[in-house]
């Protein structure tokens, strides 16, 4: 066996760092391809939080191949309404999500739905070791070895870094995060609501926007609403070091009505609030020797793309297929990246455009967004919008 070849299919070992959507999808895909995966997760137990996911495109197709699509719910309430809320608190008809985009069916669900279904698919097949992570990574002719923070060591034929935007695997093998992270000029906060919003019924959603600020509430069947807030700042890295409740109240001061203040109060009460800067990851290569990055570790596209979770699944499923087709590791990884990179580049560029829809940068952007939504809310505009999006 040469340094670039792989052992027989049933003897191939994979070490996966990260038990999120990308890591679980990689474990499931590789196990079905005959590999022996081991997942390493630094968290002490399985995490279940996360905001909404617009699930369509490559991830939808890959989920069909993996046989998990039928277990994924569509949490949209058919009776639910969508509202736009202006800075004075007034409600107007909003823009509902379409049934499909570019001919691909669309489901609205939660990150936790995807993680739950993937976890259920692998829990009896793959070991998940919680409470530890990589401290050092070395590669030899035939294997990659990881020294873990608990003092143990694991060797494998392939190491997959699926440990998110702040990836330890990437830092240890490719270099510091600052070399690859490109920050947007804004911050995101998200939490699960503990009650309904004033003036809205179960299943309703709302978007409140102003220049450089937006607050979204997404409602679901059989799950509490999820809120997330975005705002612009010149210094996002400094902003996220603040206490979330203080930063959010300062950023969203002056919003009229009851909805945004109620969201802020829910953030105060929540035991778990996501509060982070919004960034993309750009690398020239996603692999180095026997180490490959997957999902947000390799190409974080931000929530604006609507494809982060889906591309994590699509990338994992494609990786397993190409590792099955090629016994030579560099050939498999090169083919994988060649096929995947055009899609990732496209979605990263789309995220740059869509950020202005999620959060208008200025007064002109806010007026343009409001004009578009009012137009699409008419019967004629609705037909045009459906034709353009689906």
């Amino acid at each position: 066996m040469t340094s670039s070849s792989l052992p027989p299919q049933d003897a191939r070992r994979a070490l996966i760092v990260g038990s999120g959507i990308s890591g679980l999808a990689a474990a499931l895909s590789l196990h079905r391809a005959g590999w022996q995966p081991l997942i390493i997760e630094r968290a002490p137990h399985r995490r279940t939080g996360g905001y909404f996911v617009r699930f369509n495109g490559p991830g939808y197709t890959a989920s069909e191949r993996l046989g998990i699509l039928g277990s994924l719910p569509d949490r949209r309430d058919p009776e639910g309404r969508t509202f736009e809320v202006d800075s004075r608190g007034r409600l107007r008809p909003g823009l509902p999500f379409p049934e499909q985009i570019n001919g691909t069916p669309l489901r609205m669900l939660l990150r936790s739905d995807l993680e739950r279904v993937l976890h259920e698919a692998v829990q009896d097949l793959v070991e998940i070791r919680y409470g530890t992570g990589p401290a050092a990574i070395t590669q030899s002719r035939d294997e990659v070895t990881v020294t873990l923070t608990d003092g143990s060591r694991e060797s494998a034929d392939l190491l997959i870094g699926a440990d998110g935007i702040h990836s330890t695997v990437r830092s240890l093998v490719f270099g510091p995060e600052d070399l690859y992270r490109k920050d947007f000029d804004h911050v995101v906060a998200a939490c699960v609501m503990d009650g309904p919003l004033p003036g809205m019924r179960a299943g309703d959603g709302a978007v409140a926007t102003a220049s450089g600020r937006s607050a979204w509430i997404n409602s679901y069947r059989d799950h509490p609403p999820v809120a997330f807030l975005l705002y612009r700042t010149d210094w996002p890295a400094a902003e996220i070091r603040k206490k979330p409740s203080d930063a959010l109240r300062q950023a969203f001061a002056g919003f009229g009505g009851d909805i945004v203040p109620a969201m802020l109060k829910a953030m105060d009460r929540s035991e778990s609030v996501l509060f982070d800067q919004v960034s993309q990851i750009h690398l020239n290569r996603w692999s180095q020797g026997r180490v490959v990055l997957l999902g947000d570790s390799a190409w974080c596209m931000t929530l604006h793309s609507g494809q982060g979770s889906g591309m994590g699944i699509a990338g994992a499923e494609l990786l397993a297929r190409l590792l099955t087709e090629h016994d030579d590791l560099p050939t498999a990884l090169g083919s994988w990246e060649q096929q995947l990179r055009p899609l990732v580049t496209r979605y990263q560029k789309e995220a740059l455009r869509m950020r202005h829809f999620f959060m208008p940068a200025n007064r002109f952007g806010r007026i343009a967004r409001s004009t578009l939504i009012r137009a699409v809310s008419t019967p004629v505009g609705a037909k045009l919008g459906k034709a353009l999006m689906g």
Side-chain angles (χ1 to χ4, degrees):
M1 186 174 73
T2 68
S3 60
S4 62
S5 63
L6 289 166
Q9 200 79 25
D10 59 356
R12 295 178 180 181
R13 300 160 299 159
L15 184 61
I16 302 167
V17 178
S19 67
I21 290 170
S22 298
L24 292 170
L28 178 61
S29 302
L30 288 173
H31 182 272
R32 292 186 176 179
W35 286 63
Q36 301 167 21
L38 167 64
I39 299 177
I40 300 296
E41 171 56 57
R42 64 184 175 185
H45 48 73
R46 186 167 75 92
R47 290 172 287 194
T48 58
Y51 43 80
F52 81 100
V53 172
R54 189 190 77 191
F55 196 62
N56 73 306
Y60 191 99
T61 304
S63 295
E64 283 187 301
R65 292 197 190 100
L66 289 173
I68 63 171
L69 184 62
S71 300
L72 296 175
D74 188 340
R75 290 195 178 272
R76 283 178 293 192
D77 188 331
E79 303 299 323
R81 303 166 297 174
T82 304
F83 295 103
E84 290 283 322
V85 186
D86 65 18
S87 60
R88 299 181 184 178
R90 296 174 297 189
L91 273 64
R92 295 188 175 92
L95 186 65
F97 284 98
E99 293 298 319
Q100 59 180 23
I101 296 178
N102 296 326
T104 303
L106 173 72
R107 294 190 188 188
M108 296 298 297
L109 38 77
L110 295 155
R111 287 183 60 89
S112 56
D113 291 324
L114 284 167
E115 290 185 345
R116 173 183 56 79
V117 169
L118 285 165
H119 184 267
E120 289 173 354
V122 305
Q123 62 183 345
D124 296 327
L125 306 174
V126 175
E127 179 187 353
I128 304 177
R129 193 176 302 170
Y130 291 102
T132 189
I137 298 170
T138 58
Q139 299 191 60
S140 67
R141 171 186 172 89
D142 299 320
E143 63 184 11
V144 55
T145 300
V146 181
T147 302
L148 299 171
T149 54
D150 63 6
S152 62
R153 301 178 72 190
E154 293 289 344
S155 296
D157 301 294
L158 180 65
L159 170 63
I160 299 176
D163 47 342
I165 187 171
H166 305 302
S167 170
T168 302
V169 173
R170 187 183 62 232
S171 295
L172 290 172
V173 177
F174 295 80
E177 181 176 305
D178 290 347
L179 295 175
Y180 310 108
R181 194 188 73 231
K182 294 188 177 181
D183 297 333
F184 287 21
D185 59 352
H186 52 273
V187 167
V188 61
C191 79
V192 176
M193 300 285 288
D194 58 358
L197 287 171
M200 297 176 63
R201 68 191 187 198
D204 289 346
V207 184
T209 58
S211 300
R213 299 178 291 175
S214 68
W216 295 63
I217 182 75
N218 295 282
S219 295
Y220 308 93
R221 288 184 294 180
D222 305 319
H223 193 278
V226 174
F228 76 93
L229 298 94
L230 289 159
Y231 65 95
R232 185 190 176 280
T233 173
D234 290 329
W235 305 103
E239 192 74 9
I240 62 173
R241 290 196 288 269
K242 297 180 181 179
K243 185 179 179 181
S245 58
D246 294 341
L248 292 168
R249 289 193 180 282
Q250 181 179 357
F252 285 86
F255 254 98
D258 299 324
I259 290 180
V260 173
M263 293 172 71
L264 293 174
K265 290 177 181 177
M267 290 269 179
D268 289 341
R269 295 190 298 266
S270 177
E271 295 181 359
S272 177
V273 176
L274 166 71
F275 188 60
D276 203 354
Q277 63 193 98
V278 179
S279 309
Q280 289 185 341
I281 296 295
H282 294 261
L283 291 98
N284 292 329
R285 291 191 62 183
W286 295 331
S287 64
Q288 189 175 121
R290 291 180 177 270
V291 179
V292 62
L293 301 175
L294 176 66
D296 283 353
S297 305
W299 58 66
C300 181
M301 297 178 285
T302 78
L303 57 90
H304 303 316
S305 73
Q307 291 291 337
S309 298
M311 286 303 295
I313 296 173
E317 192 270 339
L318 178 63
L319 179 63
R321 278 195 283 130
L322 292 174
L323 286 168
T324 300
E325 292 178 14
H326 303 283
D327 289 328
D328 178 75
L329 185 60
T331 300
L333 295 179
S335 179
W336 174 76
E337 184 163 339
Q338 184 181 35
Q339 293 185 43
L340 207 58
R341 187 170 284 275
L343 274 175
V344 168
T345 300
R346 170 187 158 192
Y347 290 135
Q348 285 185 324
K349 289 180 178 178
E350 285 186 4
L352 293 174
R353 294 192 295 269
M354 286 299 294
R355 62 179 173 170
H356 300 298
F357 177 80
F358 275 87
M359 183 185 66
N362 49 41
R363 182 173 178 272
F364 174 78
R366 180 174 57 81
I367 293 173
R369 185 183 187 281
S370 298
T371 300
L372 170 65
I373 290 172
R374 281 198 299 270
V376 175
S377 296
T378 66
V380 174
K383 291 182 180 179
L384 178 60
K386 185 178 291 187
L388 290 174
M389 297 193 71

